[in-house]
Amino acid sequence: MTDDRDPSATPRRAFLAGTVGTALVGTAASAVGDEGNAGKNGRKHRTGCNGRRSGADARLPTAHDLTMDDGHRLRVWERTTVDDPEEAVIFVHGSTYGAVSMFDPPLGDEFGWLPSAAAQGQATFAPDMRGYGHSEPPAEYDEPPEANAPPLSFEREALDILEVTRWLRDERGFDRVHYVGLSGGTWRGRAVYEVGDPDYATVTLAGGSFGTLEIGADPEGPAYATQERSAFVERWNAELPEGADRDYWIGGAEYTADEVQAAVWRAIYETNQAVDDGEASETPREGGETADEETIIAPLVRQESEYHPRQIDDPTLVIRASSDGIISREGALNLYDAVGATDDRKRYVEIAGGTHFVFLERERREFFDAVHHFQTRY
């Protein structure tokens, strides 16, 4: 596998990401231009960002397109700020939103988790899993949701993550690779250990649980769901404690809540997940109505096995925010207890004053520091 970006011409500094390389795994593939390509229903796929970026795209991390063993193209984002980093971190997003929106949204150079980890000297990589962000959408997403069963599974995603891990070790030369799974990424991490032996330096399971939530899509369908912008904002706001100052809770002293949520949504919507290429007035709703706001595809993923946490035997951190309205303390502690690492190689941490989106809120630095501190112990 090769990466056609010449490191002598373009350093591995993500803040200077002016060109994009294409890495190949298995079958050969070529990069796709910025104009994207239209699917069967006319929905344009924003599959490429080659060449020099300008305007809104200037702050995007460096992009790599990896072709999986079945020919599917996966977008992997990189944020690296030192010349020769000694270790890499794979950040795996959750079950609705892609990598840039969760780990590196366009809101100041130092805002997101990728910039924070990169500033600590780590090389950071965040794949858009199939159906998310800028990765190639499944063919089923070009048809109405009820036309197909869900094409995605945790097992297939685990195989993709293992391929990214192999690329980091064999092609990029990293001996130490950490795994960070966020929300649905914690289930993906469990699947990785079920189907392979990744031998990560550490594993972080952030916002995950065990035994308290039903997970996985109905294998009979639909192929995907949809979510409107208002539902995204309402879901987030609903987790704030009663009487909390929304601006301070989310934005702290630096931003308003609207600024944070607008930047995150922008990073979600300006990808292949946008329905009807942004023509919100034409977005279909259940019952044949049309939406009057921006709408995204929310991928649905099948769970084909339990993917028990006991398979994870590398040093593991389970971390949760105290006001997480999705992941209960009971569920997070169940996950900690079930992880297969020995007691001296695992830790449970809870961060006060954050929701399920704590990594995008005012307490994000404490959250990031807790994870980085754990990674440095092993």
Side-chain angles (χ1 to χ4, degrees):
M1 182 176 64
T2 61
D3 185 340
D4 66 8
R5 186 163 47 86
D6 182 358
S8 64
T10 307
R12 280 206 309 177
R13 293 179 181 270
F15 289 117
L16 302 179
T19 61
V20 176
T22 301
L24 305 180
V25 181
T27 58
S30 60
V32 186
D34 272 330
E35 69 278 3
N37 57 82
K40 287 180 288 186
N41 67 353
R43 183 170 65 87
K44 184 179 290 185
H45 298 161
R46 298 179 175 92
T47 52
C49 57
N50 301 293
R52 294 199 170 273
R53 305 187 186 96
S54 61
D57 288 340
R59 194 187 166 277
L60 280 172
T62 299
H64 304 274
D65 283 337
L66 309 186
T67 302
M68 299 293 101
D69 58 346
D70 62 353
H72 203 93
R73 183 189 58 78
L74 209 71
R75 171 64 53 83
V76 179
W77 301 99
E78 176 185 359
R79 179 77 73 181
T80 305
T81 60
V82 298
D83 289 330
D84 190 21
E86 295 184 356
E87 60 182 22
V89 187
I90 297 177
F91 289 86
V92 179
H93 61 74
S95 296
T96 308
Y97 315 116
V100 172
S101 61
M102 296 293 98
F103 300 122
D104 205 345
L107 190 66
D109 288 342
E110 300 178 356
F111 181 81
W113 203 343
L114 294 194
S116 175
Q120 301 279 4
Q122 296 173 312
T124 66
F125 298 85
D128 280 328
M129 304 309 296
R130 300 181 183 218
Y132 298 83
H134 289 266
S135 285
E136 179 184 357
E140 290 83 353
Y141 286 11
D142 285 331
E143 299 182 275
E146 63 275 7
N148 296 284
L152 306 176
S153 72
F154 284 121
E155 182 167 328
R156 177 63 252 188
E157 291 179 327
L159 293 172
D160 292 343
I161 293 168
L162 286 167
E163 196 60 58
V164 173
T165 303
R166 188 200 66 79
W167 172 68
L168 289 175
R169 289 195 171 117
D170 295 352
E171 305 298 329
R172 300 301 297 268
F174 291 106
D175 294 326
R176 279 175 56 82
V177 179
H178 302 272
Y179 181 90
V180 173
L182 176 67
S183 189
T186 68
W187 276 271
R188 293 182 174 106
R190 286 154 53 176
V192 166
Y193 277 84
E194 180 84 17
V195 303
D197 183 16
D199 191 27
Y200 291 126
T202 68
V203 175
T204 294
L205 304 177
S209 67
F210 181 64
T212 57
L213 283 178
E214 290 189 11
I215 194 74
D218 182 347
E220 301 300 320
Y224 59 89
T226 59
Q227 185 178 96
E228 296 174 2
R229 177 173 181 162
S230 61
F232 158 75
V233 174
E234 289 167 7
R235 173 190 175 189
W236 190 340
N237 291 344
E239 291 194 45
L240 272 60
E242 185 176 353
D245 183 317
R246 176 171 165 262
D247 281 328
Y248 178 67
W249 185 280
I250 295 177
E254 301 168 274
Y255 306 99
T256 66
D258 286 344
E259 287 172 335
V260 174
Q261 291 175 338
V264 174
W265 177 260
R266 173 183 154 200
I268 298 167
Y269 186 68
E270 293 181 355
T271 71
N272 290 334
Q273 285 183 253
V275 174
D276 287 343
D277 194 30
E279 297 295 330
S281 62
E282 300 299 323
T283 299
R285 277 181 176 158
E286 292 184 9
E289 301 176 359
T290 57
D292 58 1
E293 59 179 308
E294 295 172 343
T295 303
I296 61 164
I297 284 177
L300 298 175
V301 185
R302 305 187 316 272
Q303 178 168 270
E304 299 173 336
S305 175
E306 183 183 30
Y307 308 121
H308 199 285
R310 63 171 169 262
Q311 305 290 348
I312 304 176
D313 55 3
D314 292 318
T316 301
L317 170 68
V318 175
I319 186 168
R320 172 187 180 269
S322 63
S323 293
D324 192 324
I326 297 174
I327 303 300
S328 67
R329 180 175 291 130
E330 176 190 4
L333 286 170
N334 284 351
L335 178 60
Y336 168 80
D337 289 337
V339 164
T342 57
D343 287 348
D344 62 332
R345 285 160 55 90
K346 64 180 179 179
R347 188 181 183 199
Y348 178 82
V349 171
E350 193 158 305
I351 303 296
T355 72
H356 197 64
F357 294 92
V358 62
F359 50 92
L360 297 167
E361 298 173 342
R362 64 182 172 89
E363 297 294 343
R364 63 189 180 277
R365 293 184 182 89
E366 183 179 353
F367 190 82
F368 301 158
D369 288 346
V371 173
H372 185 258
H373 176 70
F374 182 82
Q375 291 170 338
T376 62
R377 296 176 59 185
Y378 300 95

